[in-house]
Amino acid sequence: MTTKTKWIIRLCYGLGLLYISLFVQPPYHFLLLNTFLAYIPIELAFHISSKRPQNTLLFWLGILIWLLFYPNAPYLLTDLFHLSLLHPYADTGLIRLSISMWIYYIYMLIAVIPSVLLGMWSMTQVTRSIVSRYHFRHWFEIGIVGIFTTLSSVGIFIGRFLRLHSIYLLISPEWVLKPIFNMWSWQMLAFVILMTLLQSTIYLVLRVIRNSKY
């Protein structure tokens, strides 16, 4: 990704977050924090490549921090359930033609779609940086993606059902460890499998598009 493209993305997110803070009303004010958190792994990936950081410790520290924040990007997919707050169906059973409702529908999709796709790009960037730096075979990339998407699905569960943000792991890890240790169940594992399947599907579709030749 070129430097120009990175700055365009930064500008779009900056303007988008400013717009949300000024014009998006409750109960959709959560978009401000969630979109900001989803942007963090994208920004972190801008600074990770096969040669950056040169120091091995800093390289893996950057990847660890990226991994802590990466689930915030696909987490936005679960925010789509909040569309029910718009009460989209009329008494007739048909979807209402309410412009204000459709405006908030667009708000949600504009926040979710770019963040999920760019989040997937950040995972690809980090994965390929590892593969290239250590000269692994290219099929090894799929294994790393599988690990990242599975861990991300666990993170999504933690955020959605335990209501713990990534930042808590950095500022108060002792406070979040107990609920994390107690969260394991068959339902939790089923949720993780489903979210891993969803993320893997999006990743594979983007990979096919990226590798397509005209």
Side-chain angles (χ1 to χ4, degrees):
M1 185 178 291
T2 66
T3 300
K4 180 181 179 181
T5 302
K6 292 176 183 177
W7 279 106
I8 291 174
I9 292 172
R10 288 171 178 143
L11 178 62
C12 289
Y13 266 92
L15 293 176
L17 291 171
L18 178 62
Y19 183 90
I20 292 172
S21 66
L22 294 176
F23 299 108
V24 175
Q25 302 296 319
Y28 286 91
H29 54 276
F30 65 85
L31 280 175
L32 181 62
L33 176 61
N34 289 0
T35 305
F36 172 72
L37 291 174
Y39 172 72
I40 292 178
I42 300 168
E43 178 62 37
L44 290 173
F46 288 162
H47 305 279
I48 297 174
S49 70
S50 60
K51 298 180 180 179
R52 291 193 308 160
Q54 291 185 347
N55 182 277
T56 300
L57 179 60
L58 292 179
F59 176 76
W60 285 104
L61 180 61
I63 290 176
L64 177 61
I65 296 173
W66 169 85
L67 184 58
L68 289 176
F69 284 95
Y70 170 68
N72 292 297
Y75 174 89
L76 283 178
L77 290 168
T78 67
D79 277 342
L80 292 176
F81 279 104
H82 292 308
L83 289 171
S84 63
L85 297 174
L86 295 173
H87 305 292
Y89 292 99
D91 294 336
T92 60
L94 300 176
I95 293 180
R96 295 187 297 118
L97 181 56
S98 167
I99 298 304
S100 62
M101 181 189 78
W102 285 99
I103 288 175
Y104 276 91
Y105 172 80
I106 297 301
Y107 285 164
M108 288 285 293
L109 292 187
I110 288 178
V112 172
I113 294 176
S115 296
V116 171
L117 296 182
L118 287 170
M120 287 288 173
W121 169 86
S122 77
M123 180 173 65
T124 300
Q125 173 69 11
V126 169
T127 303
R128 291 188 170 182
S129 296
I130 296 172
V131 170
S132 178
R133 187 179 182 107
Y134 293 99
H135 308 289
F136 292 132
R137 296 182 182 275
H138 287 293
W139 58 263
F140 199 78
E141 177 183 341
I142 301 299
I144 299 175
V145 168
I147 294 172
F148 283 160
T149 53
T150 302
L151 293 176
S152 172
S153 297
V154 174
I156 294 171
F157 180 90
I158 292 172
R160 174 52 62 194
F161 297 104
L162 303 186
R163 307 305 298 159
L164 300 176
H165 292 297
S166 301
I167 195 67
Y168 295 159
L169 291 171
L170 297 178
I171 63 176
S172 185
E174 70 285 350
W175 184 67
V176 304
L177 289 180
K178 184 176 180 180
I180 289 177
F181 285 145
N182 293 332
M183 71 181 182
W184 303 92
S185 67
W186 288 114
Q187 284 189 318
M188 177 269 181
L189 293 175
F191 176 87
V192 168
I193 291 172
L194 290 172
M195 291 306 300
T196 301
L197 176 61
L198 176 59
Q199 292 181 80
S200 299
T201 301
I202 297 173
Y203 170 81
L204 290 174
V205 170
L206 292 177
R207 187 182 178 92
V208 169
I209 294 173
R210 186 171 61 246
N211 295 336
S212 296
K213 295 182 180 180
Y214 296 95

